[in-house]
Each structure stands twice: as structure tokens, then as C-alpha cells.
Amino acid sequence: MGRYVIRRLLQMVPVFFGATLLIFLMVNVMGDPIAGLCGERQCDPATAAQLRKEFGLDKPLWQQYATYMGNVFTGDFGTAFNGQEVTELMGEAFPVTIRLTLVAIVFEIVIGIALGVVTGLRRGRPVDSGVLLLTLVVISVPTFVTGLLLQLLLGYKWDIIDPSVSTDARLDELIVPGLVLASVSLAYVTRLTRTSIAENSRADYVRTAKAKGLPRGRVIRKHLLRNSLIPVVTFIGTDVGALMGGAIVTERIFNIHGVGYQLYQGILRQNTQTVVGFVSVLVIVFLVANLLVDLLYAVLDPRIRYA
């Protein structure tokens, strides 16, 4: 197990550098970031040259990336164009988005897996058809439509929630935004769990367990559910990073100043330091989540061992 973890950690290194380099290049080819610092008027050549030198934009692109990555490994993610340290922006944004993501993951696990188990055990019955139709509708409707609809109904028409989240972003305020963020993934988890349960319920080991006279609940929990959850755990593990990085729409709708909001502002202002810094942390989150998922396989299925 230890050798496997070390090997996976070493594999993360080129992935991390490759992802950050790609984002660094993409942000730099979007346009001239200095042009946006002078407002609607163009910067005069002297001011533009001074700003380029101040932010290190007068150097070759490869040297900018090498300098930036060298600073990252010392904990320095640079300074945004507004003069604020990127680490300060991260300290404000990541706790909010982490809370929002945790709420979304809880919805995926509790509601998605529960509905998947119920429909998988009742395949072909009315409850199965109804849930499949509902999940298809959720997948078909864009997230911004779902978010705006819930905000209009619950926030303005029925006055159940505040239309926008406060700066504190309390956990109770993030329930509806978390549901919106998790809606599409929740539907996929439900369908994936349902398919896996339905397939494994006809497997030989399940029929053997029933033939031994084991209680139905124990067969489902100990045998059927553990083996059926492997593909579901894979999806949820990879979805953690996707939810954190893809929260831009949800955070814009509910005025949440999290990672998505900062990424949107950074892309809008072509702020390389902010965008690459946030994406670098998201890449690390994604890689660690995938490693934990791989290790969790051995817990769910004792037959899986890592040499």
C-alpha cells in the first residue's frame, strides 16, 4: 500500500506542472492584462512599461512561468492587479466554496444514493420510472435555470430564503445553493447507483447470500451495496474538484464570494496570478481526491489489494 501511494504521489507531479502550465499559457494568450488596468482609456507607453516591469510581464513567457512556480513552492502565489495578495483572496474564498461543496456532496450521497438504491431494488416499477424521468429532467435543465427558478420562487415569491447569501456565508444559507450546485451530479449519482444495484442484485454472490438465509437488509448492506458503490465513489471523488471549480454559475446567482467568483473576476480582468493560483490549488484538490478514492476501493471491496 505504501509503495502504491508513493507511486501515485510521484505521478501527480507531472500532472500538476502540466495543468498549471496549460492554464498559465491560456490566460496569457487571452489578451493584454495591462490594457484593463487603465480603464477605458489606453495606457500611455511609459505607464504600460512600468506596469509590465512591476508585474514581471516584460520577461519571456517561460521565465514568467518558472519564476511563478518557484514562488508557489515557497507559498507565494503572487499579487493580484488590485494589490491584494492572492493568498488573502484564497483565505477568503476557499472556506466559503468548501462549505458549499460539502453541502452539495452531502446531497449527492444522501439523496442520490438513497434514490438509486430504492429504484435499483424496484427496477421497472412506477417509482423507478418516476425517478428516472425526474433525473432526466434535472440533467436536461441548465444549472443557471434551476438556480434562478429556485431563487425567484423561494427568495422573492414565497420569502423562504434570502435571495442572496450574506458575506458570512453561513451553512444554513448554503443549503439551496448547495442543492442547485449538486442537482445535475445528484441525478447522475442516482442513475449510476440504480444501474449498479440492479446489475449486482442478479449476481451469483447475492443469490448465494439469499440462499444461506441471510436477512434481506444484511444482504443489501454487507454484500450488494458495498460492491455497487465502487463506480459511485469514483464519480463522487472526481466530482469534488469539478464542483469547486464549476461553482461559478451558482456563486454568481446567489452572490457568493467563493472560488468561482474569484476565478470569474480573474478571467474577466485577465489576472494571471489569481487564475493560475486558484487553479493550482484546485488541481491539487482534484489529485488528492482521486488518490483517496483509489484507496477507498480496498475498503469497499476486500478483494482489491495494492501491491
Side-chain angles (χ1 to χ4, degrees):
M1 178 71 77
R3 294 175 60 184
Y4 174 80
V5 173
I6 293 174
R7 187 168 66 250
R8 284 297 305 273
L9 291 174
L10 292 176
Q11 291 174 355
M12 292 180 182
V13 176
V15 175
F16 174 75
F17 278 103
T20 53
L21 176 61
L22 182 61
I23 297 298
F24 192 89
L25 295 175
M26 292 176 63
V27 174
N28 275 276
V29 301
M30 287 172 56
D32 185 10
I34 297 300
L37 296 178
C38 298
E40 297 181 356
R41 296 181 301 175
Q42 291 185 350
C43 299
D44 61 88
T47 303
Q50 181 181 356
L51 290 173
R52 290 181 186 280
K53 184 177 181 180
E54 179 180 349
F55 290 104
L57 300 176
D58 57 336
K59 301 177 182 178
L61 199 57
W62 67 268
Q63 192 172 352
Q64 294 181 37
Y65 177 74
T67 302
Y68 176 79
M69 293 306 297
N71 293 333
V72 165
F73 284 104
T74 62
D76 181 13
F77 285 86
T79 305
F81 289 156
N82 61 359
Q84 190 174 7
E85 295 289 333
V86 176
T87 50
E88 295 181 9
L89 296 175
M90 290 181 179
E92 297 172 358
F94 268 100
V96 176
T97 300
I98 288 174
R99 289 199 295 271
L100 178 63
T101 303
L102 289 176
V103 172
I105 292 295
V106 169
F107 277 123
E108 286 188 30
I109 294 175
V110 176
I111 300 179
I113 293 179
L115 288 177
V117 171
V118 171
T119 54
L121 294 175
R122 292 168 173 81
R123 187 174 183 178
R125 298 182 183 180
V127 64
D128 180 34
S129 302
V131 172
L132 285 180
L133 179 61
L134 179 61
T135 55
L136 184 60
V137 171
V138 172
I139 293 172
S140 303
V141 177
T143 304
F144 69 88
V145 175
T146 305
L148 290 173
L149 183 62
L150 289 179
Q151 185 185 52
L152 175 63
L153 294 177
L154 301 179
Y156 290 101
K157 190 172 182 179
W158 298 332
D159 197 24
I160 298 177
I161 63 170
D162 293 327
S164 60
V165 176
S166 65
T167 54
D168 296 333
R170 301 189 310 272
L171 198 61
D172 60 313
E173 295 179 310
L174 297 176
I175 293 178
V176 174
L179 180 60
V180 173
L181 180 61
S183 58
V184 175
S185 297
L186 188 153
Y188 281 120
V189 168
T190 300
R191 297 173 74 92
L192 186 61
T193 306
R194 178 249 183 196
T195 303
S196 186
I197 288 288
E199 290 179 354
N200 287 319
S201 62
R202 299 191 297 267
D204 292 338
Y205 67 89
V206 174
R207 287 198 296 265
T208 302
K210 292 179 179 178
K212 290 181 178 180
L214 295 178
R216 186 169 184 269
R218 185 179 178 184
V219 173
I220 295 175
R221 292 192 307 270
K222 188 174 180 60
H223 299 280
L224 180 58
L225 191 58
R226 288 182 63 175
N227 290 279
S228 301
L229 282 182
I230 291 180
V232 180
V233 168
T234 303
F235 178 85
I236 294 177
T238 56
D239 200 40
V240 172
L243 288 175
M244 294 185 67
I248 296 178
V249 174
T250 304
E251 292 184 355
R252 290 287 295 172
I253 292 174
F254 294 95
N255 193 33
I256 302 173
H257 289 193
V259 173
Y261 174 83
Q262 294 297 341
L263 280 175
Y264 173 79
Q265 295 295 328
I267 294 172
L268 194 65
R269 299 171 183 174
Q270 299 175 8
N271 195 331
T272 306
Q273 306 283 353
T274 302
V275 176
V276 179
F278 274 83
V279 172
S280 299
V281 177
L282 289 176
V283 169
I284 294 174
V285 171
F286 185 83
L287 293 174
V288 172
N290 275 270
L291 176 61
L292 294 178
V293 166
D294 286 348
L295 298 179
L296 189 58
Y297 287 162
V299 177
L300 293 174
D301 192 345
R303 296 171 299 178
I304 298 177
R305 289 292 180 266
Y306 299 107

